[in-house]
Amino acid sequence: MATVGSTEGGFAFDYSEVTGAIGDSMTVLPLVVALGALTPASLPHLLGGFAVFQVIWGLYYGLPLSVEPMKALAGLAIAGAIGYGELVAAGLLAGGVLLVAGRTGAVSRVAAVVGEPVVRGVQFAVACLLVVAAADLVAAAPSVAAVGVGVAVVVAVVSRRAVALAVLAIGLGWAAVTTGVPALSVPSMALFPSGLPRLSVGAIEGVAAQLAMTVGNAAVATSLLLADYYDANVSPDRLAESMGAMNLLAVPLGALPMCHGSGGLAGKHAFGARTATANVFAGCLYALLALLAGLLVAFPMALLGVLLVVVALSLAQTAFASTDRWLFVASVGGLAVLTNVGVAFLAGAVWWVFRSRAPRFSSLNDEW
């Protein structure tokens, strides 16, 4: 197993780390741009948070660990179900709960009860949701997506790992031609730069939904995927602790509530990331985008949709290749599409515990 908490042997400088750094951005940029456009959130501050913590967790773990938005909370804010102040309060509350849960070992106790097929189901659920998100982005501009597909196919003939870099470069060039190069926007250092936290019933409900997703995807599934991809022993509790600390430090400075996640990790791996160098490159990318945040407003999101499909296929392949309970895994993914990852995780966990402890159900077909 790889040793974490040390950077020894955790860095390599080659082309694959550059392309792999892009893999995480595909689950980040659409949500960040939408929040910047539809809420009072400051786009430079949101991007700055990702820049800082990509580097921090790369240095700390010595692995290309993902840093993603807390998707349930971001989605509620984008849809207008909670206000910006409630988003901030929810991020702080989620951070506190995760820090305590990690410190006390509560996440690992949950993981011990939940069977591995449930976690594989969560991985497939995330893959399904990435495809749904990609379909929405592609449907908004199918001709742009067609260009992205064409570029991806041509570049993949030479190097599949270069696909993300090529498509992202085309998107940024497209935005620059459309709007021109914007003036530099340096994020200010201030507490709650876009608004104060506001605790409400809606914020608490959002935290509950987010924590169900975070335990299943960002802690348990990510821990398992780190073992699959990098032979690294990083416990779900340790991931919960780092997510808790990250949000308690970053949200007051204007960052989005953030987590780790199997989707972003699969994206990095699919496009070549094998060491923490990818996180350093990713941090530099987000820092540059924070300075040129106006450029992202014109970025053609349909191009990101093309890349989301690539990531989803990689994650789904990992989920099914690691289990023989394909029907169970597929059912969890389908339920996530119909509801959300949190509901799918809880339903899968309840079924798995019930099946394991009820003698009459323990002899069910192995696919369940």
Side-chain angles (χ1 to χ4, degrees), residues 19 24 43 68 85 110 124 157 207 211-212 228 248 252 258 268 303 346:
T19 60
D24 218 358
L43 195 52
E68 305 177 15
V110 171
F124 181 58
V157 173
V207 170
L211 288 177
D228 288 343
L248 292 176
M258 296 176 287
K268 280 184 172 175
L303 293 181
L346 292 176

Side-chain angles (χ1 to χ4, degrees), residues 107-133:
V107 177
S108 286
R109 287 195 289 273
V110 171
V113 174
V114 176
E116 182 177 324
V118 179
V119 179
R120 298 302 183 184
V122 170
Q123 289 178 342
F124 181 58
V126 174
C128 290
L129 294 177
L130 290 177
V131 171
V132 172

Side-chain angles (χ1 to χ4, degrees), residues 147-157 159-160 163 166-167 306-307 310:
V147 172
V149 171
V151 170
V153 170
V154 171
V155 174
V157 173
S159 171
R160 285 188 295 176
V163 169
V167 175
V306 174
L307 297 179
V310 177

Side-chain angles (χ1 to χ4, degrees), residues 85-329:
E86 292 170 302
L87 174 67
V88 174
L92 293 172
L93 183 57
V97 171
L98 287 169
L99 184 60
V100 172
R103 289 274 183 179
T104 58
V107 177
S108 286
R109 287 195 289 273
V110 171
V113 174
V114 176
E116 182 177 324
V118 179
V119 179
R120 298 302 183 184
V122 170
Q123 289 178 342
F124 181 58
V126 174
C128 290
L129 294 177
L130 290 177
V131 171
V132 172
D136 290 339
L137 294 173
V138 168
S143 59
V144 175
V147 172
V149 171
V151 170
V153 170
V154 171
V155 174
V157 173
V158 179
S159 171
R160 285 188 295 176
R161 292 180 177 181
V163 169
L165 191 61
V167 175
L168 185 63
I170 288 174
L172 289 174
W174 192 319
V177 170
T178 302
T179 64
V181 178
L184 296 181
S185 53
V186 180
S188 61
M189 287 294 294
L191 285 176
F192 304 110
S194 300
L196 295 173
R198 186 171 74 85
L199 191 61
S200 68
V201 173
I204 295 172
E205 290 175 346
V207 170
Q210 180 62 59
L211 288 177
M213 289 180 61
T214 299
V215 170
N217 176 44
V220 179
T222 299
S223 174
L224 194 58
L225 208 60
L226 285 168
D228 288 343
Y229 285 162
Y230 303 104
D231 194 30
N233 184 16
V234 185
S235 72
D237 288 313
R238 193 166 189 182
L239 292 172
E241 278 190 71
S242 63
M243 288 186 286
M246 173 166 56
N247 284 292
L248 292 176
L249 290 170
V251 171
L253 296 177
L256 177 65
M258 296 176 287
C259 62
H260 305 307
S262 58
L265 183 61
K268 280 184 172 175
H269 187 271
F271 290 112
R274 298 295 181 267
T275 75
T277 305
N279 279 51
V280 176
F281 281 127
C284 293
L285 169 66
Y286 286 126
L288 177 62
L289 291 177
L291 295 174
L292 299 171
L295 199 58
L296 281 179
V297 176
F299 191 96
M301 293 292 107
L303 293 181
L304 286 177
V306 174
L307 297 179
L308 281 177
V309 173
V310 177
V311 175
L313 291 175
S314 175
L315 189 57
Q317 182 180 19
T318 299
F320 283 105
S322 304
T323 183
D324 56 359
R325 302 184 187 278
W326 65 271
L327 192 55
F328 180 88
V329 170

Side-chain angles (χ1 to χ4, degrees), residues 13-42:
F13 295 89
D14 58 41
Y15 180 66
S16 296
E17 301 302 319
V18 178
T19 60
I22 311 301
D24 218 358
S25 67
M26 292 165 304
T27 58
V28 174
L29 292 179
L31 289 174
V32 168
V33 172
L35 280 167
L38 301 175
T39 76
S42 163

